[in-house]
């Protein structure tokens, strides 16, 4: 089955298209925010941290995290002007910038939220290098991305079906379940993600799983159960620190 939706032809145009989804599922966002809140600790007058939400999309992820990060300053960063326009309804601070050269001073942030972004990048190596540059020593990276080795993808591959989350076109879905084109260029297994982040100069503190909101309703209990084992979970939540 092939589902076709008119799309812009260029990669930049694709992400500037208002029809392209820019929000992540609330469950993974909440889990990620809890991990970060524990790592940062409560904010005080002398202890307020700067958190960058890089690839903030429409700001809904930051809005979910804000109650858990009260007192810390959250700044949304995105290259899509349309996304930033929507994000400003949730975030008091936003910056337009690209991951190849973030418009931020070195060692200026205490933490980076990097939710559902790395799978969209042509050059993830430069992105992690820039994130490391803007983080202070010991700063936290909270990264989430789909799991290529999710429990259902293992079964799909055995059946000769293209894995969920993977895409062969920016214009249509071919050879896999689903209808929505979201522009994924890279996918990671837990092992590959750990090795990649460590090679970029980070210490991996932990890796957890989160459910995927697109799983059919009858299978959602099984998907939540799989979160106990990140190797099988739909979404990977990685916590790392700058070394």
């Amino acid at each position: 089955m092939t589902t076709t939706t008119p799309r812009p032809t260029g990669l930049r145009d694709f992400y500037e298209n208002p029809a392209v989804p820019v929000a992540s599922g609330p469950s993974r966002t909440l889990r990620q925010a809890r991990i970060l809140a524990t790592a940062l600790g409560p904010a005080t007058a002398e202890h307020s941290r700067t958190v960058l939400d890089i690839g903030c999309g429409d700001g809904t992820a930051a809005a979910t995290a804000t109650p858990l990060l009260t007192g810390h300053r959250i700044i949304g960063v995105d290259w899509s002007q349309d996304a930033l326009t929507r994000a400003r309804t949730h975030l008091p601070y936003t910056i337009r910038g690209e991951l190849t050269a973030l418009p931020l001073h070195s060692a200026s942030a205490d933490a980076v939220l990097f939710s559902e972004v790395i799978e969209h990048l042509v050059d993830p190596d430069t992105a992690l290098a820039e994130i490391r540059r803007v983080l202070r020593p010991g700063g936290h990276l909270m990264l989430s991305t789909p799991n290529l080795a999710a429990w259902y993808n293992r079964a799909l591959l055995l059946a000769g079906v293209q894995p969920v989350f993977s895409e062969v076109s920016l214009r249509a879905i071919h050879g896999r379940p689903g209808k929505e084109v979201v522009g994924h260029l890279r996918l990671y297994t837990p092992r590959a993600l750990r090795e990649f982040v460590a090679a970029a100069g980070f210490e991996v503190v932990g890796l957890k799983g989160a459910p995927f909101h697109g799983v059919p309703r009858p299978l959602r209990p099984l998907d939540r159960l799989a979160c106990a084992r990140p190797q099988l979970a739909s979404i990977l939540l990685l916590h790392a620190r700058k070394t």
Side-chain angles (χ1 to χ4, degrees), residues 76-87:
V77 183
D78 208 291
W79 77 343
S80 168
Q81 187 58 60
D82 176 77
L84 285 178
T85 298
R86 287 181 274 171

Side-chain angles (χ1 to χ4, degrees), residues 11-101:
L11 191 61
R12 181 179 291 276
D13 289 339
F14 177 86
Y15 290 114
E16 289 285 6
N17 180 4
V20 174
V22 292
S24 301
S27 179
R28 80 194 74 169
T29 301
L30 190 58
R31 290 176 185 227
Q32 192 174 42
R34 285 172 178 159
I35 297 170
L36 181 57
T38 300
L40 291 179
T44 65
E46 300 80 23
H47 185 80
S48 179
R49 303 302 191 188
T50 297
V51 179
L52 303 177
D53 184 2
I54 296 180
C56 65
D58 63 5
T60 56
T64 301
T66 296
L68 298 177
L69 300 172
T70 301
H72 298 302
R73 183 172 67 155
I74 303 177
I75 302 173
V77 183
D78 208 291
W79 77 343
S80 168
Q81 187 58 60
D82 176 77
L84 285 178
T85 298
R86 287 181 274 171
R88 290 185 185 111
T89 64
H90 301 292
L91 292 167
Y93 309 103
T94 60
I95 298 173
R96 189 175 190 185
E98 300 191 20
L99 274 163
T100 52

Side-chain angles (χ1 to χ4, degrees), residues 195-218:
E195 291 184 6
F196 178 60
V197 172
F202 292 87
E203 175 192 0
V204 177
V205 178
L207 183 69
K208 296 186 177 182
F212 174 46
H213 64 277
V215 168
R217 189 174 297 276

